[in-house]
Amino acid sequence: TNAIVRLLSNGTLDTSFNAAVNASAYSIALQPDGKVLIGGGFTSVAGTSRNRIARLNTDGSLDDSFSPGTGADSWVSSAVVQPDGKVLIGGYFTTVNGTSRNRIARLNANGSLDSTFNPGTGANGPVYSIALQPDGNLLIGGNFLTVNGVLRQSVARLYGDFIAPSPSLHIAGSNAFVIVSWPANATGYALQQCTNLSLGNWLPVTQSTVTNAGQLFV
């Protein structure tokens, strides 16, 4: 059963990608290395037991290096890959690999349950969507009324211990100018300048930025 397919850039079916999943996949997350995290209602991938969460290789075959144990005991509706490789999942489940996790959990990069992320009693209804913020905290949305016993109807924000890495600044000379650039996807940072380091009087850089090839230039 092909519950997940890949399309080429022109919209036609990519026959080189073959994922044998025995039931629906509700969430797809692409990793930087091209591997694919899937969550859903399935219980096996390519004949191997994978309860509702699995990782596929770039050709759609099962990635055996990602092993979630007994997996989730009910549907996984959302899966988000953190920059450090850990995976946030949300859904209808109440246990992950035999451990109580009510509708929200985090897995390590190898698929094992991340015990350092503990949402307490979790959400009292299904979590349909997860969004990771630049500061490492996460937003969840779904059909719940409380999260860890606190009234939070349908949407809540949870603390996460992941800290996004600071952007690396690149400095280059161009004629009589100094050009500073950094990744355009880095948010929540301020570029400041100081004319006297002994005074430490840092002020925002007021020059406008230019986006080019994934970088911001000043």
Side-chain angles (χ1 to χ4, degrees):
T1 302
N2 289 327
I4 176 173
V5 298
R6 185 168 65 193
L7 304 181
L8 298 172
S9 58
N10 63 2
T12 59
L13 181 66
D14 181 359
T15 57
S16 69
F17 183 87
N18 186 15
V21 182
N22 75 334
S24 299
Y26 301 132
S27 181
I28 302 171
L30 182 65
Q31 294 189 169
D33 60 2
K35 292 185 177 182
V36 182
L37 261 296
I38 60 172
F42 55 85
T43 56
S44 72
V45 178
T48 300
S49 177
R50 283 294 185 274
N51 288 318
R52 298 149 190 121
I53 184 73
R55 186 166 66 194
L56 308 179
N57 294 308
T58 55
D59 62 355
S61 61
L62 179 66
D63 179 6
D64 290 326
S65 67
F66 184 87
S67 179
T70 57
D73 66 339
S74 191
W75 299 347
V76 172
S77 303
S78 182
V80 175
V81 182
Q82 295 186 169
D84 61 358
K86 293 185 177 183
V87 181
L88 294 160
I89 60 172
Y92 291 74
F93 55 84
T94 56
T95 66
V96 176
N97 197 19
T99 300
S100 177
R101 284 294 185 273
N102 288 318
R103 293 129 191 145
I104 182 74
R106 187 168 66 187
L107 308 179
N108 294 308
N110 63 1
S112 61
L113 180 65
D114 181 4
S115 60
T116 67
F117 182 87
N118 188 349
T121 57
N124 73 336
V127 171
Y128 299 140
S129 181
I130 303 173
L132 183 65
Q133 296 185 163
D135 61 3
N137 295 332
L138 56 143
L139 292 169
I140 61 172
N143 189 24
F144 51 81
L145 292 175
T146 64
V147 177
N148 197 22
V150 179
L151 182 64
R152 287 293 185 272
Q153 185 171 351
S154 302
V155 64
R157 183 167 63 191
L158 307 182
Y159 290 117
D161 57 10
F162 166 73
I163 303 300
S166 301
S168 297
L169 297 180
H170 301 277
I171 302 175
S174 177
N175 296 324
F177 296 92
V178 173
I179 299 175
V180 179
S181 64
W182 64 95
N185 61 0
T187 59
Y189 297 95
L191 187 63
Q192 297 182 335
Q193 61 183 350
C194 181
T195 57
N196 189 331
L197 293 178
S198 64
L199 296 178
N201 185 24
W202 291 91
L203 298 172
V205 173
T206 57
Q207 285 86 352
S208 60
T209 59
V210 176
T211 303
N212 182 30
Q215 297 280 310
L216 285 173
F217 289 84
V218 168

